[in-house]
Amino acid sequence: MCRVVDLQQAVLAKNDATAHTLRAHLAARGTAVVNLLSSPGSGKTALLERELLLARERSVPVAALTADLATENDATRLARSGVPVKQVLTDGLCHLEAGMLGGHLEGWLPDDTRLLFVENVGNLVCPASYDLGETLRVVLASVTEGEDKPLKYPTAFGLAHLVVVTKTDIAEAVAFDENAFRANVEQVNPGVEVLLTSARRGKAIGALLDRALAAADGAPLHTPVMARRPDVFGAGDPAPHHHDGRGHAVPDGSGSMAQSRS
């Protein structure tokens, strides 16, 4: 068992170092990364498409990279926004890693990109443990998934800088209990902002873009209580970390890019 834990920590440490380098590289060129995590079918592609369209209308240079195990369906949808879009097929891997992301950006990402939205693989387990060099980490959940998801996936929700609820236009039909959901989010990530959205109805469209731009400009981010404490876990790590509650170090990405821009 100890050997398994040691191997996992080594894998995460290597990823963290790569993420730290990628974050610094993107910061130097003025690009901020928004890491979007959710379960499959949460509606993040529909919401992201609306946000990308709005960014183009506002003349904000944005791009999107979407990751899936198979098919290019999401990239095809997002490309309708008219912004640069790239599909990454992971061939069965349940998450993106910093090295994978960096490799796919080489020779593709336009130099003037202000925001890069990364639609991670649909999964609330594996992606939560990998820093991609992001500035803003967002976890999304649809009203159809149930109010207990923050408690079932505490690492994903507990490390988020922002929580987004999608498909609120059908909240009443599925008896979604907003108060219960907020209480469960508060339990694992006290003080984090919860946005209620509907891509179909246009509710709160632009809020994600606004939060991302603010983070890119160096606005203070929410600090999850799960953030790793250097006085407990040691200093000198290559990138900011969180603690996942099981003794493992998992990455954060909170604000490092914005700080390096100042």
Side-chain angles (χ1 to χ4, degrees):
M1 179 61 71
C2 291
R3 294 178 61 187
V4 173
V5 172
D6 289 344
L7 178 59
Q8 185 177 34
Q9 290 176 340
V11 169
L12 290 176
K14 180 179 179 180
N15 180 82
D16 291 350
T18 303
H20 179 69
T21 300
L22 180 60
R23 181 180 289 111
H25 170 70
L26 291 173
R29 55 180 285 170
T31 301
V33 175
V34 182
N35 187 6
L36 304 175
L37 295 82
S38 79
S39 299
S42 68
K44 66 178 178 293
T45 304
L47 179 62
L48 181 55
E49 184 179 2
R50 294 292 300 269
E51 297 289 339
L52 296 178
L53 282 167
L54 183 59
R56 188 181 181 194
E57 291 175 7
R58 293 183 181 178
S59 299
V60 178
V62 299
L65 182 145
T66 182
D68 282 299
L69 276 67
T71 82
E72 296 187 359
N73 295 346
D74 287 351
T76 299
R77 290 178 58 186
L78 295 178
R80 296 185 303 202
S81 66
V83 309
V85 174
K86 185 169 187 177
Q87 178 77 55
V88 173
L89 299 181
T90 64
D91 294 324
L93 189 64
C94 63
H95 61 274
L96 282 175
E97 297 179 6
M100 296 169 59
L101 177 62
H104 284 287
L105 297 184
E106 291 182 10
W108 168 72
L109 189 67
D111 291 337
D112 66 344
T113 303
R114 187 74 182 94
L115 295 173
L116 170 64
F117 289 92
V118 176
E119 185 179 14
N120 218 316
V121 179
N123 183 342
L124 285 175
V125 182
C126 303
S129 295
Y130 287 85
D131 184 1
L132 299 182
E134 69 261 28
T135 298
L136 186 68
R137 177 175 288 213
V138 182
V139 63
L140 302 91
S142 71
V143 298
T144 61
E145 295 177 58
E147 298 82 2
D148 62 346
K149 283 299 179 290
L151 303 181
K152 288 187 174 182
Y153 302 97
T155 301
F157 283 88
L159 299 183
H161 299 117
L162 176 67
V163 174
V164 175
V165 179
T166 61
K167 305 183 183 182
T168 59
D169 53 290
I170 59 171
E172 184 176 354
V174 299
F176 176 70
D177 188 333
E178 179 187 337
N179 290 332
F181 180 83
R182 287 183 178 275
N184 291 335
V185 170
E186 186 70 13
Q187 186 172 331
V188 299
N189 195 347
V192 69
E193 182 182 10
V194 177
L195 283 176
L196 302 181
T197 69
S198 169
R200 176 176 294 179
R201 297 281 176 80
K203 180 178 180 178
I205 297 301
L208 177 57
L209 178 62
D210 290 341
R211 302 303 188 277
L213 286 171
D217 289 337
L221 293 176
H222 166 72
T223 302
V225 296
M226 292 178 70
R228 188 177 180 185
R229 292 170 49 192
D231 60 317
V232 174
F233 299 99
D237 291 319
H241 289 76
H242 287 302
H243 180 250
D244 70 357
R246 299 188 303 274
H248 300 154
V250 294
D252 169 20
S254 64
S256 294
M257 186 172 186
Q259 293 168 5
S260 64
R261 291 173 58 85
S262 60

